[in-house]
Amino acid sequence: MGPNISIVAFVSVLLLPTVLLLSTGPMVLCRDDAAMQTYIVHVRSPAGTVFTGSEDRQEWHRSFLPPTSMSSSAPRMVYSYGNVISGFSARLTREELEAMAAKEGFLHANPDRILPLQTTHTPEFLGLHLQDGFIKGSNFGRGVIIGMVDTGIFPNHPSFGDDGMPPPPAKWKGRCDFGASLCNNKLIGARTFVNGTVGKSPPVDKEGHGTHTASTAAGQFVKGAEMLGEALGTASGMAPRAHLAIYKVCTDEGCAESDILAAMDAAVDDGVDVLSLSIGGVSIPFYADNLAIGAFGAMEKGVFVSCAAGNNGPFSETLSNEAPWILTVAASTMDRSIRASVKLGNGVVLNGESLYQPKDFPSTPLPLVYAESSGNPDAAFCDDGSLDGLDVKGKVVVCVRGGYVGGIDEGKTVKDAGGAAMILMNQVVDGFCTFADPHVLPASQIGYADGTALTAYIGSSGNATATLAFQGTVLGTGSTPAPAVTSFSSRGPSGASPGILKPDISGPGVSILAAWPPTVNSSSAMAGRSATFNVISGTSMATPHLSGIAALLRAAHPDWSPAAIKSAIMTTADTLDRRGNPITDQNRLPATYFALGSGHVNPTKAVDPGLVYDLTSDNYVPYLCGLGYTSKQVQAITRMSGSCDTVGRIPQWDLNYPSISVILGSASVTVKRTVKNVGAASSVYTAKVYNPPGVAVSVEPRTLQFSAVGEEKNYTVTLKSTGSGEGAVSEGQLVWSSSKYVVRSPISVTLQ
Ligand SMILES: *[C@@H]1O[C@H](CO)[C@@H](O)[C@H](O)[C@H]1NC(C)=O
Ligand SMILES: *[C@@H]1O[C@H](CO)[C@@H](O)[C@H](O)[C@H]1NC(C)=O
Ligand SMILES: *[C@@H]1O[C@H](CO)[C@@H](O)[C@H](O)[C@H]1NC(C)=O
Ligand SMILES: *[C@@H]1O[C@H](CO)[C@@H](O)[C@H](O)[C@H]1NC(C)=O
């Protein structure tokens, strides 16, 4: 395949001019348009320049554009950015870009990337109790503004009503493009940045994703929320008194970085405190990752940025959003299943899940048929039309999850072929992780081990039968450990910076009930049913949980930096599940740090962490230089004026991060950290190390004595390989404890 692809590309390059020569239009324009694409261009302002307004800045940005572009019909400038990056996006040819690169002040440019998008019960599951204002001093997030960069919103939803909401804080400068009647004290801002145009249409959510994530972060209390009668309860977001500012950048085609940057630029100016982005592309170096660069600019202005880790697990090195100034959020399960049991003809019962719970499904055994037995290679995944020729009428059809076919769509195929019910079996990679999906027919999704038992039974019985029994919402961890990291959640190590342990944290992201636009089908197959809530899964769903929790922390500690909030979330995270065992993964094996991050978020502990690992935006500069980036690349990210030679370079693991990740050869590595006291003024902490196997660890000093709030202390951790385990990843932890606090950092060591 490789050579073929490159030949195709080569031929098209050769053919392009010929085609153009044969065309009759205005030649130059035509060639420009054909080869034009949107680039995001980073520039450095001339020393001492102070722009007096955005007109000035735009004028300077336009000076980079090619002179011929003035005569071109289509406008070249897409956005001129002012807050989160120094630069602009523009439509250019490759040649024009090359000419631009020679201009004074040009730093770096990348083609615009199109990035993919990646509750009733979650507040209680996370230990957030109504009477405490969720967490002490947080007042349900009152006064904090969360910016949602997503698919827009359905504004009339009860989750976005403003009963009990105060007016937005005085610093709020944003606007509402729905018109005053649809915005209120909950939904304070709403704008659209799509395809290079601002505010052409109000940010109506045509996908449902943005409505779901916004209500997860900061939805109001809504009594009696449910979907198809299940997951019933009072729905609320994590920060039900926080304000929401909506920035629509995504459509069904994805989300362009140029639009995302424009939204972040506006959000920072508008006065948001937290930005939530359930969006992510593949890992690339930070200087080429414009979402990461925008997040740096936002962080610099004090805005907390939380982003999805990605849905490409369980495979290694599949993370999105790896920058250390971003909170990278992995997805885990909750202790709620919406049970659909499979009862086999041999008496064995397999517990699966389905949101659709028909009460009248007959208990008489029905013949079981394995779709794969049709001989059609697509049939195992019950792809559309693949069951033709197989007699499934009135039978229970067994389909395999995956094969690029959605589980609900697999059910649609079975239903269309006349099947009575579906059993959806996991493949080995998904292990025990099932979804409670709104299936179109009676169905049950079962784990891989149960699927193996099922196919063995079918193989051994000439006359296999099954029936389904629907048992509704089952709370508690009687049969299923929770939380557990789910199979789809992307895994580390970080490709862009393996010296920073990623993901950072896990939060609920499986079968999450939240608000849904009644105007959007809750799944492609929901055939005509409309609902005001929907249950969906993804690191997209985990991210707004963490954004809401960050808003609670911001409300409780208005003076904390984004890094301090992040540190508090990470060092207090849970490592044990609700049964007191180490948190597991999709195979019920202990989850590695590359799956779980520092642990599962524990908001009530995060509000009072004792110590924090703080960082200012300047601290990232020597770290970025230490990654081997050129001064211009670092300038594009940080807008610093100096060079790497002046600011210096530090090893990645010396960034003052709340977790530790090192690559260890035969030489020892010493890691530096600084902790700041945010707990009791007078406190003494002692270090306890749980050694990563094969690694000797020493901490110096082993006692830290504080006498004031805000006081900082340094310590070092020296790691040395004891000579075994080459190529392995070894995990341990460092815990600082006082009489009141436990401050934990995971240690990940890749042995070379
Ligand atoms: C996006 O904008 C460009 C021009 O800027 C236009 O050619 C294209 O059709 C637009 N795409 C969509 C999906 O609106
Ligand atoms: C298969 O099992 C069903 C239900 O147990 C029974 O009614 C039927 O007679 C069996 N058929 C054969 C061929 O054994
Ligand atoms: C929902 O899906 C059904 C079937 O695919 C379709 O007929 C209906 O128009 C859709 N409704 C909306 C609001 O898109
Ligand atoms: C911690 O170390 C840094 C240098 O790495 C130094 O500038 C700072 O003064 C130290 N802080 C304390 C409290 O010793």
Side-chain angles (χ1 to χ4, degrees):
M1 274 321 278
N4 279 349
I5 287 169
S6 60
I7 286 167
V8 169
F10 187 54
V11 169
S12 72
V13 168
L14 284 182
L15 285 183
L16 201 54
T18 322
V19 171
L20 290 172
L21 285 173
L22 292 174
S23 75
T24 53
M27 195 65 62
V28 171
L29 237 176
C30 190
R31 180 157 77 225
D32 283 358
D33 285 350
M36 217 144 39
Q37 75 177 104
T38 302
Y39 288 91
I40 296 166
V41 182
H42 297 268
V43 293
R44 184 179 49 194
S45 51
T49 313
V50 178
F51 294 115
T52 50
S54 61
E55 279 304 314
D56 247 24
R57 187 192 71 232
Q58 285 168 23
E59 190 56 36
W60 172 56
H61 286 165
R62 268 194 296 273
S63 74
F64 285 88
L65 294 179
T68 54
S69 71
M70 301 308 171
S71 59
S72 166
S73 54
R76 299 305 198 85
M77 183 69 83
V78 179
Y79 293 107
S80 163
Y81 305 109
N83 294 308
V84 296
I85 74 165
S86 168
F88 55 92
S89 46
R91 288 164 52 74
L92 302 166
T93 65
R94 186 80 223 163
E95 291 73 21
E96 287 168 346
L97 181 70
E98 274 159 23
M100 188 186 287
K103 292 195 178 176
E104 178 69 30
F106 175 96
L107 288 174
H108 183 77
N110 281 99
D112 199 6
R113 292 194 298 167
I114 307 295
L115 306 181
L117 283 164
Q118 295 295 328
T119 82
T120 48
H121 180 50
T122 39
E124 288 90 2
F125 182 64
L126 293 173
L128 298 176
H129 300 291
L130 299 186
Q131 60 274 23
D132 303 340
F134 275 4
I135 58 179
K136 202 165 145 247
S138 72
N139 241 322
F140 302 109
R142 192 178 296 264
V144 178
I145 305 168
I146 305 179
M148 303 298 303
V149 181
D150 209 301
T151 62
I153 198 162
F154 179 79
N156 286 317
H157 197 282
S159 288
F160 310 124
D162 72 349
D163 269 5
M165 289 292 302
K171 65 171 179 173
W172 172 247
K173 289 200 297 179
R175 49 183 280 179
C176 172
D177 285 347
F178 279 124
S181 64
L182 290 180
C183 282
N184 57 26
N185 287 334
K186 164 60 70 182
L187 183 57
I188 60 173
R191 303 191 74 187
T192 307
F193 300 83
V194 170
N195 198 22
T197 59
V198 186
K200 282 279 165 62
S201 58
V204 176
D205 182 7
K206 297 189 175 124
E207 318 305 319
H209 189 273
T211 301
H212 199 275
T213 55
S215 71
T216 299
Q220 275 279 19
F221 299 102
V222 180
K223 290 208 177 90
E226 46 85 24
M227 165 86 182
L228 305 180
E230 296 306 322
L232 182 69
T234 297
S236 93
M238 292 292 109
R241 287 289 176 260
H243 306 279
L244 282 167
I246 304 302
Y247 301 88
K248 174 173 172 170
V249 299
C250 307
T251 66
D252 55 352
E253 286 166 27
C255 330
E257 277 182 319
S258 56
D259 294 321
I260 294 171
L261 279 179
M264 293 174 104
D265 219 42
V268 166
D269 208 30
D270 291 350
V272 307
D273 299 291
V274 175
L275 274 172
S276 188
L277 292 101
S278 291
I279 300 171
V282 297
S283 169
I284 50 174
F286 302 136
Y287 60 80
D289 182 347
N290 281 294
L291 196 164
I293 300 176
F296 189 96
M299 172 275 297
E300 212 176 3
K301 302 263 164 76
V303 177
F304 186 91
V305 185
S306 116
C307 295
N311 296 345
N312 297 310
F315 309 106
S316 150
E317 227 180 290
T318 48
L319 292 168
S320 300
N321 300 315
E322 298 172 333
W325 49 88
I326 288 174
L327 183 76
T328 312
V329 186
S332 54
T333 59
M334 278 187 294
D335 65 341
R336 177 179 70 199
S337 35
I338 304 179
R339 191 167 291 164
S341 302
V342 177
K343 196 167 179 202
L344 302 180
N346 63 2
V348 170
V349 175
L350 310 171
N351 281 328
E353 283 199 280
S354 170
L355 186 65
Y356 175 47
Q357 297 262 319
K359 298 297 177 233
D360 53 353
F361 193 70
S363 59
T364 42
L366 299 172
L368 255 180
V369 50
Y370 189 10
E372 195 184 65
S373 65
S374 75
N376 175 342
D378 292 331
F381 302 115
C382 295
D383 206 351
D384 192 19
S386 67
L387 299 178
D388 298 350
L390 193 66
D391 177 19
V392 302
K393 288 220 165 32
K395 297 182 181 171
V396 178
V397 182
V398 178
C399 304
V400 179
R401 168 179 174 183
Y404 301 102
V405 189
I408 296 167
D409 291 334
E410 297 194 37
K412 204 160 183 297
T413 306
V414 173
K415 190 180 184 193
D416 291 348
M422 171 177 71
I423 300 172
L424 185 61
M425 294 191 310
N426 274 356
Q427 295 188 61
V428 65
V429 291
D430 291 311
F432 290 91
C433 292
T434 54
F435 298 126
D437 273 338
H439 289 289
V440 296
L441 81 173
S444 176
Q445 186 184 351
I446 60 173
Y448 176 70
D450 284 346
T452 308
L454 171 68
T455 49
Y457 164 62
I458 295 175
S460 68
S461 162
N463 187 15
T465 62
T467 187
L468 302 186
F470 295 95
Q471 287 156 18
T473 304
V474 179
L475 294 179
T477 56
S479 58
T480 320
V485 180
T486 195
S487 54
F488 64 72
S489 190
S490 286
R491 307 295 150 106
S494 164
S497 180
I500 298 292
L501 184 54
K502 289 280 178 175
D504 292 310
I505 194 79
S506 302
V510 178
S511 303
I512 302 299
L513 177 87
W516 198 257
T519 47
V520 175
N521 274 340
S522 49
S523 78
S524 58
M526 280 292 287
R529 293 183 203 144
S530 77
T532 49
F533 287 87
N534 192 17
V535 172
I536 53 176
S537 300
T539 51
S540 275
M541 281 64 250
T543 302
H545 278 98
L546 268 297
S547 308
I549 289 164
L552 296 177
L553 296 182
R554 172 52 58 89
H557 303 289
D559 55 330
W560 281 10
S561 70
I565 293 175
K566 177 174 174 173
S567 173
I569 289 172
M570 289 170 65
T571 61
T572 59
D574 290 336
T575 58
L576 301 180
D577 68 17
R578 295 302 140 90
R579 294 188 202 162
N581 300 321
I583 292 175
T584 53
D585 64 10
Q586 71 281 358
N587 294 321
R588 300 211 173 141
L589 298 171
T592 66
Y593 297 152
F594 291 154
L596 179 67
S598 289
H600 192 263
V601 62
N602 185 333
T604 28
K605 281 192 181 160
V607 75
D608 193 15
L611 303 175
V612 292
Y613 294 84
D614 208 355
L615 282 165
T616 64
S617 52
D618 289 344
N619 296 144
Y620 293 99
V621 178
Y623 156 81
L624 290 166
C625 291
L627 286 176
Y629 296 172
T630 65
S631 294
K632 280 190 173 184
Q633 287 165 341
V634 176
Q635 286 164 356
I637 301 169
T638 64
R639 294 177 283 178
M640 67 162 186
S641 49
S643 79
C644 282
D645 290 335
T646 9
V647 298
R649 298 171 174 85
I650 60 167
Q652 301 172 51
W653 38 74
D654 272 352
L655 185 72
N656 196 37
Y657 213 66
S659 55
I660 295 172
S661 175
V662 297
I663 296 163
L664 198 58
S666 51
S668 67
V669 167
T670 296
V671 173
K672 295 182 188 140
R673 288 293 184 268
T674 304
V675 279
K676 183 195 265 184
N677 183 19
V678 295
S682 172
S683 42
V684 181
Y685 287 83
T686 50
K688 185 166 168 61
V689 175
Y690 299 81
N691 277 32
V695 182
V697 181
S698 61
V699 178
E700 182 54 41
R702 297 195 65 98
T703 303
L704 299 173
Q705 187 154 3
F706 294 91
S707 54
V709 173
E711 193 183 353
E712 293 192 334
K713 294 280 179 193
N714 292 336
Y715 71 87
T716 60
V717 181
T718 301
L719 303 112
K720 183 146 180 47
S721 168
T722 53
S724 54
E726 194 177 317
V729 177
S730 189
E731 297 188 340
Q733 52 185 322
L734 166 62
V735 178
W736 287 101
S737 31
S738 73
S739 56
K740 184 170 176 205
Y741 298 103
V742 174
V743 185
R744 175 184 164 274
S745 292
I747 303 173
S748 172
V749 180
T750 303
L751 295 162
Q752 273 187 343

